[in-house]
Amino acid sequence: MDYFLIITIIITLAATFGYINVRFLKLPNTIGLMLITIVFTFGVFALSYINPTLLNAEKYIITKIDFRTALLDIMLSFLLFAGALHTNFEQLKVQRWPILVFSTLGVLLSTFLVGTFLYMLLKLTGLEVEYLYCILFGALISPTDPIAVLGIMKKAKVPKNLEAKIVGESLFNDGVGVVVFLTIFEVANLGVDEVSTLGVLKLFGIEVIGGIALGLLLGWITYRLLKTINDYDIEVIITLAAVMAGTVLAERLHVSAPLAMVTAGLFIGNDIVRQGAMSELTESYVDKFWELIDILLNTILFVLIGMEMLALEFKGIYILAGLLAIPVVLFSRYTSILLPVNFFKRKLNFVPHTAKIMTWAGLRGGISIALALGLTEVMHRELFLVITYVVVVFSILVQGLSVGKLVKRLIPTNSNQDPLH
């Protein structure tokens, strides 16, 4: 079975599941695909008691796919660029300070809160896990997933200023979250005694600042190239090359590729840059191309998430730990959002119950799973993978399905009228 056949099977499943969702379930793609893949996976398990052929075929496909590499090193750059390209830059500009705090200090605070509370809860269940590894789990579960969030926000009819905070934070906090995870991972891997505080800060600073600087450079170069020609075919290819070359360059320079792609996408998607570099025809083709890339990779991603479940060992104690982690993650998220909201609410007009809505709308997805897959056996990989899956499934199915209803319940209709503040 070669890679072309494997890709064919995955895309065929993605197309089939997508059709079922659009034709019958009519749920947001993120939720519908997650639900269908879970049902499909359980169906394969049930069928395996009669005939294990399909289960064996799926397991074989999973062994041939490095999910962590496929998502973090390849798919994520395309998805983040596409998401940033279609984000309202003016809204983001107005909300830049709370978004910055949410996606940096908020992620760090949530990381340590999740790690600390989970460490205490795991002890009560009889699972002895080192504190540092619990902090590492806090780092991988704290960032909200922009892929999941963007899909839900389109359907939830959230007020524009709140949507800008949620989407803007999710675009940046996963890049910061990946950097935080990799930093703590290095500390855990080498040992606390082998890593200095200065070394940790240096690694974090280079990844974050370097990623943003690279993104600005990529955005500016792309803008200059687009401005000098008027050929929509080549201009679309230039944006594609910017993402691919930028990702490779970020890896070589050891800076954050996710942050570079978000920054480049926001730069090129800015209305001033668009109007100065692209004709209306080019703009339309660029938008449609990246919308298609976004939908295709999203669909593939959630099929892969479902298939990866086949490789997990679902022990009862692990599932219990996952269920206990859900309120811990939600409480930590709420606390990390509430403090910045209270600080900024005098300067910016927040809609009512911003912290509650941002907590419930902060979905976890493929990024958390990809990071969990990168853990070593010493770091209790199987335990944290199961916990991550339980949190992600709850997040997408329960929170994702109910966030629209929560918004309608907590926010008066007239809160939707203010376009910027």
Side-chain angles (χ1 to χ4, degrees):
M1 189 179 289
D2 59 17
Y3 283 108
F4 180 76
L5 182 55
I6 291 172
I7 292 169
T8 302
I9 291 170
I10 291 169
I11 290 179
T12 302
L13 284 174
T16 304
F17 295 168
Y19 175 82
I20 292 170
N21 180 50
V22 173
R23 179 74 175 81
F24 301 106
L25 300 182
K26 295 179 173 60
L27 293 169
N29 278 334
T30 301
I31 299 169
L33 290 168
M34 190 71 178
L35 181 61
I36 294 167
T37 50
I38 289 172
V39 171
F40 177 75
T41 301
F42 283 125
V44 170
F45 270 125
L47 187 62
S48 67
Y49 289 102
I50 303 169
N51 188 333
T53 305
L54 187 56
L55 178 62
N56 292 336
E58 277 210 41
K59 284 187 174 179
Y60 179 80
I61 291 171
I62 291 167
T63 61
K64 293 294 180 182
I65 300 170
D66 186 341
F67 181 88
R68 186 174 185 270
T69 300
L71 176 56
L72 293 183
D73 295 346
I74 302 171
M75 294 171 68
L76 187 58
S77 291
F78 292 93
L79 288 163
L80 288 179
F81 181 84
L85 191 68
H86 297 112
T87 299
N88 188 318
F89 187 80
E90 290 306 314
Q91 285 281 355
L92 218 57
K93 192 176 175 182
V94 171
Q95 307 293 340
R96 62 189 179 278
W97 292 115
I99 287 171
L100 178 65
V101 175
F102 291 147
S103 58
T104 52
L105 297 179
V107 170
L108 288 168
L109 178 58
S110 176
T111 294
F112 284 95
L113 285 175
V114 170
T116 302
F117 286 126
L118 189 67
Y119 173 72
M120 294 187 289
L121 284 174
L122 289 179
K123 271 198 167 186
L124 294 176
T125 63
L127 291 167
E128 291 291 333
V129 180
E130 294 86 340
Y131 179 65
L132 186 58
Y133 299 149
C134 290
I135 294 294
L136 192 59
F137 170 76
L140 70 87
I141 207 68
S142 289
T144 56
D145 192 323
I147 301 152
V149 170
L150 285 165
I152 300 300
M153 286 302 100
K154 291 173 185 175
K155 298 273 186 178
K157 295 181 179 177
V158 174
K160 295 297 180 185
N161 63 330
L162 180 55
E163 183 181 346
K165 293 184 189 74
I166 295 170
V167 172
E169 181 219 2
S170 68
L171 284 170
F172 280 101
N173 77 5
D174 77 290
V176 174
V178 169
V179 174
V180 172
F181 173 83
L182 293 175
T183 304
I184 298 173
F185 183 90
E186 185 165 322
V187 173
N189 217 21
L190 297 176
V192 178
D193 298 332
E194 299 295 322
V195 182
S196 66
T197 304
L198 184 62
V200 170
L201 292 173
K202 185 180 177 183
L203 174 65
F204 186 83
I206 289 172
E207 286 269 355
V208 173
I209 297 169
I212 293 171
L214 177 61
L216 288 171
L217 179 62
L218 282 169
W220 183 81
I221 292 171
T222 305
Y223 162 69
R224 296 300 302 175
L225 291 172
L226 297 179
K227 190 176 181 179
T228 55
I229 63 172
N230 184 18
D231 186 309
Y232 65 83
D233 291 330
I234 301 302
E235 288 177 82
V236 168
I237 294 171
I238 288 171
T239 61
L240 180 62
V243 174
M244 298 178 76
T247 302
V248 172
L249 196 57
E251 289 173 3
R252 296 290 184 273
L253 296 173
H254 302 290
V255 300
S256 173
L259 286 175
M261 290 307 106
V262 169
T263 306
L266 289 172
F267 188 103
I268 298 166
N270 180 5
D271 286 342
I272 297 172
V273 173
R274 280 172 173 266
Q275 291 164 11
M278 302 183 216
S279 66
E280 285 188 18
L281 184 62
T282 297
E283 209 174 327
S284 174
Y285 270 89
V286 167
D287 285 343
K288 292 297 180 187
F289 174 79
W290 284 104
E291 280 175 19
L292 179 60
I293 292 289
D294 189 31
I295 292 167
L296 174 63
L297 293 183
N298 257 303
T299 309
I300 292 171
L301 172 62
F302 283 96
V303 170
L304 288 176
I305 289 174
M307 291 175 69
E308 281 287 340
M309 289 177 67
L310 294 168
L312 294 183
E313 186 181 355
F314 285 98
K315 292 181 181 178
I317 190 69
Y318 290 180
I319 295 173
L320 174 62
L323 293 173
L324 290 173
I326 291 170
V328 167
V329 170
L330 288 172
F331 173 77
S332 301
R333 165 78 175 166
Y334 180 72
T335 304
S336 66
I337 292 292
L338 187 62
L339 295 175
V341 165
N342 286 337
F343 179 80
F344 285 107
K345 68 182 179 182
R346 291 180 183 177
K347 297 179 181 179
L348 292 169
N349 181 23
F350 285 107
V351 300
H353 309 289
T354 291
K356 291 178 185 175
I357 295 169
M358 287 191 71
T359 298
W360 202 248
L363 308 184
R364 273 69 182 182
I367 293 168
S368 294
I369 292 171
L371 292 174
L373 286 165
L375 297 174
T376 64
E377 295 302 323
V378 175
M379 297 170 182
H380 307 276
R381 182 178 185 271
E382 285 297 321
L383 167 64
F384 286 128
L385 258 176
V386 174
I387 294 175
T388 303
Y389 256 94
V390 172
V391 172
V392 167
V393 170
F394 177 87
S395 170
I396 292 175
L397 295 187
V398 179
Q399 292 173 233
L401 277 172
S402 56
V403 69
K405 294 175 183 175
L406 182 71
V407 170
K408 287 179 184 176
R409 185 176 175 182
L410 295 180
I411 300 179
T413 308
N414 58 11
S415 293
N416 286 290
Q417 302 305 312
D418 187 359
L420 286 178
H421 301 89

